[in-house]
């Protein structure tokens, strides 16, 4: 079986002097290698090809046969690493907590243990006849998140 740590070291070596970062790396028992990268301005197919060639040159097909796939993390896919939260700061996101509660709003702050999403919510103040919309900031711990992804509005 392909050594995941060896593949990770190769990927990180290629990524070291670039703005790209590693989001996910999987090696299946049948030696299928899946590498996902991302960066603030998106991922170029030429760079995926270059990383794929670099990893392939660092592995020996004479010892083990493998399938290698390098791609972007995907715009509509859930975030996998904190750096994805950082590059989407200021963007609309949708977050579902482990308890099923969802928040949709602007990702305003990103910390080591938590992040803040500001949502437009209807709030009814005491004495008011009707609710009004106001911004409500929700501090969310990464440990409580089922998934977070960039929110794409088709309106």
């Amino acid at each position: 079986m392909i050594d995941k740590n060896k593949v990770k070291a190769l990927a990180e070596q290629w990524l070291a002097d670039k703005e790209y970062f590693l989001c996910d790396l999987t090696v299946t028992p049948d030696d299928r290698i899946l590498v996902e990268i991302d960066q603030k301005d998106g991922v170029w197919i030429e760079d995926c090809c270059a990383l794929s060639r670099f990893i392939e040159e660092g592995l020996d097909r004479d010892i083990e046969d493998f399938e290698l796939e390098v791609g972007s993390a995907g715009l509509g896919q859930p975030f996998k690493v904190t750096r994805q939260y950082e590059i989407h700061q200021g963007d609309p996101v949708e977050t579902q907590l482990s308890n099923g509660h969802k928040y949709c709003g602007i990702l305003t702050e990103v910390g080591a243990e938590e992040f803040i999403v500001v949502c437009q919510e209807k709030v009814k103040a005491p004495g008011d006849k009707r609710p009004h919309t106001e911004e409500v900031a929700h501090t969310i711990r990464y440990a409580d998140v089922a998934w977070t992804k960039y929110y794409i509005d088709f309106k």
Side-chain angles (χ1 to χ4, degrees):
M1 185 167 158
I2 300 287
D3 181 12
K4 181 177 179 177
N5 292 327
K6 182 175 183 178
V7 177
K8 185 176 181 181
L10 288 166
E12 288 176 345
Q13 181 182 349
W14 187 86
L15 295 167
D17 61 343
K18 296 169 185 64
E19 291 186 25
Y20 288 105
F21 57 91
L22 187 63
C23 292
D24 195 21
L25 185 129
T26 306
V27 179
T28 64
D30 60 343
D31 288 334
R32 183 168 183 236
I33 305 166
L34 304 168
V35 180
E36 288 184 3
I37 59 173
D38 203 355
Q39 77 153 329
K40 183 176 178 141
D41 297 323
V43 176
W44 295 93
I45 188 70
E46 295 84 3
D47 293 326
C48 290
C49 293
L51 175 55
S52 179
R53 282 191 298 274
F54 186 82
I55 292 172
E56 192 160 343
E57 289 169 2
L59 300 174
D60 189 352
R61 284 199 182 270
D62 291 335
I63 295 173
E64 292 182 292
D65 191 28
F66 58 88
E67 178 183 345
L68 175 60
E69 183 179 324
V70 177
S72 71
L75 188 59
Q77 299 299 314
F79 299 166
K80 296 178 180 172
V81 295
T82 307
R83 183 100 182 265
Q84 289 178 292
Y85 287 85
E86 292 169 356
I87 67 172
H88 286 289
Q89 192 167 335
D91 292 335
V93 296
E94 184 177 18
T95 298
Q96 181 167 331
L97 303 182
S98 302
N99 65 10
H101 193 87
K102 275 189 183 179
Y103 295 104
C104 189
I106 304 298
L107 179 60
T108 59
E109 291 183 40
V110 178
E113 301 292 324
E114 58 194 22
F115 59 97
I116 296 175
V117 176
V118 176
C119 307
Q120 295 288 325
E121 296 181 6
K122 288 187 178 185
V123 177
K124 187 175 178 188
D128 286 354
K129 289 185 177 183
R130 295 184 182 172
H132 63 281
T133 303
E134 70 179 50
E135 290 184 346
V136 178
H138 298 280
T139 301
I140 303 168
R141 294 176 348 121
Y142 295 112
D144 298 332
V145 173
W147 52 261
T148 299
K149 56 187 170 182
Y150 179 78
Y151 180 72
I152 303 170
D153 188 3
F154 292 103
K155 293 180 184 176

